Amino acid sequence: MDGLRANAKAVAERERDAFLVTSRLLMVGAANQDIRNLTSKCGDVLQTGFAGYNPVVNFVRTEATGKVRCSILPFREGHSFAGEVWWERTKLAKAITVSQPTTGTVSGVPVIVMALPVKDTAGNFAGTFSAGIGISKLAKSIATAPESKTGSIAVISKNDELVASSGQAIPFDLPADLRNGMAGIAKSPSGEKWLYNVVSISGDELHVVYAEPRS
């Protein structure tokens, strides 16, 4: 089990880097005067300073109503995130939020949205600054991880949804309410026993599950 946990931690730490750097970029962007104040230069600042970071698909700044005001990717005039679960959650948050897997309504691809609520000088909600982390890039990273040669790797969301895996889905049913440090033995439908270990990538929102056949 110590070996399994070491492998699970290695995968989680590697994937966690993308979330940590994205968090820093969100804070840097929210502090930038053009992005923060939604000036006419907001889009240009995103294009020159925030484009090309892998695995982020897009950075977006919205106003307090949810309307998109500037983005790296082109967007339809009047496009709004109001009503989307991640945006409504961020509107009430005090720190960066991490969404469940979703399809970006600007990018059109599967993403995990990290978002920061932006406040005005009076402390009132003034919109969001968000980044969409591409799930396909996360899946590719996991599929090529050295640990995938010895076991099965999956990233599971808070709602027990499979986000990405190193091959096929984990070949057994995982217990509900995954948490950091969870470990155990499970059986596949064919009766094969598997050992597994769980390590958090981002709080209780995303977890890495690493498993090997007991044999």
Side-chain angles (χ1 to χ4, degrees), residues 33-131:
Q33 292 303 306
D34 291 305
I35 296 174
R36 186 176 189 82
N37 298 324
L38 291 170
T39 72
S40 59
K41 297 179 181 179
C42 179
D44 291 337
V45 171
L46 289 181
Q47 289 287 348
T48 57
F50 292 81
Y53 172 68
N54 190 16
V56 175
V57 175
N58 194 21
F59 281 95
V60 183
R61 174 76 164 93
T62 71
E63 60 182 37
T65 63
K67 182 179 178 181
V68 176
R69 291 289 301 275
C70 58
S71 164
I72 291 176
L73 297 178
F75 61 93
R76 175 179 50 81
E77 183 67 29
H79 186 97
S80 175
F81 291 148
E84 293 192 31
V85 174
W86 70 264
W87 193 87
E88 296 295 338
R89 181 184 171 202
T90 306
K91 183 177 178 180
L92 302 175
K94 296 181 179 180
I96 291 174
T97 61
V98 180
S99 80
Q100 294 296 290
T102 185
T103 298
T105 52
V106 171
S107 66
V109 301
V111 294
I112 292 168
V113 180
M114 296 187 69
L116 180 67
V118 179
K119 303 298 177 79
D120 61 20
T121 53
N124 299 314
F125 177 70
T128 63
F129 186 47
S130 62

Side-chain angles (χ1 to χ4, degrees), residues 156-176:
I156 309 293
S157 76
K158 184 178 182 179
N159 295 337
D160 300 324
E161 179 180 351
L162 178 67
V163 178
S165 66
S166 58
Q168 298 179 343
I170 290 288
F172 53 85
D173 290 332
L174 286 165

Side-chain angles (χ1 to χ4, degrees), residues 136-150:
S136 65
K137 296 176 182 179
L138 179 65
K140 183 177 180 181
S141 176
I142 290 171
T144 56
E147 294 80 8
S148 67
K149 296 177 182 178
T150 56

